[in-house]
Structures are given as structure tokens and as C-alpha cells.
Amino acid sequence: MTTRRKFLAGAAATAPAALAAPAVAQSTITWRMQTYAGPALAAHVVKPAIDMFNQIAGDRMQIELFFADQLVPTSELFRAMQRGTIDAVQSDDDSMQSPTEVTVFGGYFPFASRYSLDVPVLFNQYGLKEIWEEEYSKVGVKHVSAGAWDPCHFATKEPIRSLKDLEGKRVFTFPTAGRFLSQFGVVPVTLPWEDIEVAVQTGELDGIAWSGITEDYTVGWADVTNYFLTNNISGAWIGHFFANNERWMELPDDLKMLFQLAADQSHYYRQWWYWGGEARLRVHGEKMELTSIPDDEWDTVEEAARTFWDEIAAESETKRRVVEIFKQYNADMQNAGRPYRYTAS
């Protein structure tokens, strides 16, 4: 791994993102930012926003964008940002293993959300934003922005039509999602993002529970899996933009505002890109066959999630606060009725 890091550090100067960066003046502020996403996915979920930032900021500031594992492994993103090796990061808390009380809720916390709009409402109207800011300020990192990303579905080589079909399946997924799914016989596997497609082809993995169908098609996973399970364990991933706090404080206020706007623009893009893509590819996609687990069986998974929530809440006061917000929010949405929540009659 040490040799690999040295190679990556040396290769960074010739990485596509670095080659694409414009010539800058000597006084230009330069940041290095790494995303959790590989090149094909990053072309949608972060590159347009960073390109916009660079175009507007011009000679005042430029951000060099690096893709998944290009400078450091995704699991080391937080530490690299905290040290200042990387200036900014786009990721969920769970994947980059940040040492905070809220890490378990990043990515896919089981059934915390049903729709993508749930996430920005939870952060901006129900108090999660303040909790995240508190937690990251303790560890020298600026929490810039939170947004909703895609839902979490299984993409598999063999069909999943019952909970029994999950047993023994080796699946690439997130730490917390894997912890939850293991009670149903799923075997969580952690691998570098760029190795996943080959791992499915070679049989090292039986499937993936890392995204919705839009990403399956975008990054090539739909080419190596045959089935897409319509049941999901989360309606939207919780993802963020972060920055090293010292570097953040050095920025003029208008550049801070511009970075915030670029992050929010990225979240907005994802809202409609995923929402439309998930429906369109279910209806018109030709690479994957849709399967479903019956509602009465899937209800047991949702019930298990409520038990899981209570187990997490018991771990600390901060976790209890977050779980209580999830409970209150989901109760409010259920009581609001259609179109916020409804159950089939």
C-alpha cells in the first residue's frame, strides 16, 4: 500500500483532473479535492460543480479534482483532509470513516429516508445541519453542505425474490448498511471502488448494494449484473462536501460562498438526475431484470430497522438526538399523508 501511495502521489501530476486544470497565476489559491466517485460517476455528481467554481473564481482560486482512490483510499479521505494533505472532500461520513458520532448515519442509514427531498428537509428544517456542524468542528473539519443522493438497491448476478435469497450473498456495500444487512445473511465485502466490476465478473462478489439503478448503468455495473431488486433499504444516500478547517478559514468570504453554492448546485443536479434516472431505467432499461421481495416479507426488514435505530441510539447522546429526529420526521411525514407518505390499501 505504501508503494501504491507513492506511485499515486507521483502520478497525480499527470492525472486527468490535473491535466485539465487551467494555467493559474502565482497568487492563485489552489485546492486539491478528492471525491468518493470514480470518473464515470464523478462526471455527473461533482465535476460540473467544480468546473463551474473554477470558471467563476478564475485566477483567484482553482480546485484540482481527483477521483476515487486517486490520491488516497476512500477510507482514508477524512484523515488526509484533517491533516491538510487534501483540502476538500466529497463523500459520505461512513465511507471515509470519519471519527464522529454521526458517521454511522452517513451513506445509507436503514430506512431513515424514503425520498430524496427528505434529506435536505432533515438538515435544514429538523436540525441535522447543526448537529453535523458541531461534530465536525470538534475534529478540525468544516462541514460545508449535505444533500440527497441515490437510493440503495441490490444489483445481483442471481435473482433476489425472497429474504432467503440474500443468505450467503457476498455484497459490496457501506459499513453501516453491511452491519444491518448481515442479520439477513448478507456477507458485506469491502473493496476499492474501481475493483468492483471485475470482482463481480470473477465471482468474488455476488452483488452490489451501493447505489440505485442510475449508477448501475452509469458506472458499468449493469453490464456485469443481471437483476435489480426494487426494494431498497434507504430512499436516499446522505452525502456531503467537507473542507480542512484551516484552509476554509483562509478563504475570503465570497469564495466560501461560491464553494457553498457549487456544493449546493451539485446536490441539486443529483436530485433530478437520480429521480428521473431511477424511473426511466426501470421502465426503459434493457440490461437488468427487475425483481421484488413481497411486501409482507419486506415489512420484517423495515421492522428490524427500527430495532437497529434503537441500538444505535443507545450508543451515545448525540446518536440518540439524531435517531429522535429521524423518528419525529418520519412520523410527521406519515401523518401528513399523500404525497409525503402512504401505505398501500
Side-chain angles (χ1 to χ4, degrees), residues 21-30 54 58-64:
V24 295
Q26 200 167 24
S27 60
T28 301
I29 299 169
T30 58
N54 288 339
D59 284 344
R60 294 187 64 203
M61 182 172 176
Q62 290 290 299
I63 298 174
E64 295 180 78

Side-chain angles (χ1 to χ4, degrees), residues 44-331:
H44 288 278
V45 301
V46 65
K47 190 175 183 298
I50 299 305
D51 286 347
M52 178 187 73
F53 178 95
N54 288 339
Q55 183 175 349
I56 296 171
D59 284 344
R60 294 187 64 203
M61 182 172 176
Q62 290 290 299
I63 298 174
E64 295 180 78
L65 179 63
F66 297 88
F67 305 134
D69 305 309
Q70 205 168 16
L71 295 179
V72 298
T74 297
S75 61
E76 296 180 19
L77 276 176
F78 176 86
R79 296 297 184 189
M81 174 174 50
Q82 189 183 44
R83 291 192 304 265
T85 306
I86 297 172
D87 303 296
V89 163
Q90 180 203 37
S91 179
D92 65 277
D93 320 71
D94 207 21
S95 296
M96 69 178 191
Q97 299 181 19
S98 60
T100 73
E101 291 293 322
V102 296
T103 294
V104 70
F105 303 108
Y108 294 120
F109 191 65
F111 299 101
S113 64
R114 180 166 295 185
Y115 306 119
S116 57
L117 276 175
D118 291 339
V119 174
V121 174
L122 279 161
F123 272 82
N124 295 305
Q125 294 184 358
Y126 277 72
L128 291 191
K129 180 176 182 288
E130 290 76 15
I131 295 175
W132 257 252
E133 289 176 350
E134 289 172 11
E135 285 299 304
Y136 279 95
S137 67
K138 296 175 185 176
V139 291
V141 166
K142 170 65 177 177
H143 177 260
V144 178
S145 179
W149 302 353
D150 55 335
C152 184
H153 293 260
F154 283 86
T156 55
K157 296 171 71 174
E158 301 297 326
I160 304 296
R161 295 192 173 95
S162 71
L163 291 180
K164 186 173 179 57
D165 292 335
L166 292 174
E167 295 178 5
K169 293 293 187 294
R170 295 160 297 177
V171 175
F172 172 64
T173 189
F174 294 86
T176 299
R179 175 179 167 183
F180 172 69
L181 290 169
S182 62
Q183 66 186 289
F184 303 102
V186 173
V187 180
V189 177
T190 301
L191 290 170
W193 190 92
E194 69 270 19
D195 294 344
I196 301 310
E197 185 172 346
V198 173
V200 175
Q201 289 177 303
T202 61
E204 186 177 356
L205 289 174
D206 299 305
I208 302 158
W210 201 85
S211 70
I213 197 169
T214 307
E215 286 191 19
D216 292 335
Y217 273 75
T218 301
V219 306
W221 294 339
D223 296 323
V224 296
T225 56
N226 303 315
Y227 299 93
F228 179 83
L229 182 65
T230 59
N231 311 73
N232 66 51
I233 66 164
S234 175
W237 192 11
I238 300 176
H240 314 266
F241 284 79
F242 303 93
N244 173 277
N245 197 56
E246 290 185 10
R247 297 305 303 273
W248 178 260
M249 294 305 295
E250 291 169 359
L251 291 182
D253 287 344
D254 62 332
L255 289 180
K256 290 178 184 176
M257 187 180 298
L258 180 58
F259 187 82
Q260 176 82 57
L261 289 170
D264 290 345
Q265 170 62 24
S266 174
H267 294 315
Y268 170 67
Y269 181 106
R270 299 177 80 118
Q271 287 255 280
W272 60 260
W273 184 61
Y274 283 125
W275 185 256
E278 297 300 303
R280 177 175 53 82
L281 288 169
R282 284 192 187 198
V283 176
H284 301 292
E286 298 179 349
K287 294 181 179 180
M288 307 172 78
E289 180 181 333
L290 304 183
T291 64
S292 296
I293 294 175
D295 288 344
D296 58 344
E297 276 196 81
W298 197 248
D299 286 345
T300 65
V301 181
E302 295 204 27
E303 186 59 34
R306 302 300 180 259
T307 301
F308 185 76
W309 286 18
D310 291 337
E311 292 172 357
I312 297 297
E315 294 178 355
S316 76
E317 175 59 20
T318 298
K319 291 177 181 177
R320 185 198 64 77
R321 288 169 62 200
V322 174
V323 169
E324 287 304 312
I325 287 173
F326 283 142
K327 287 182 176 180
Q328 182 64 58
Y329 176 77
N330 278 279

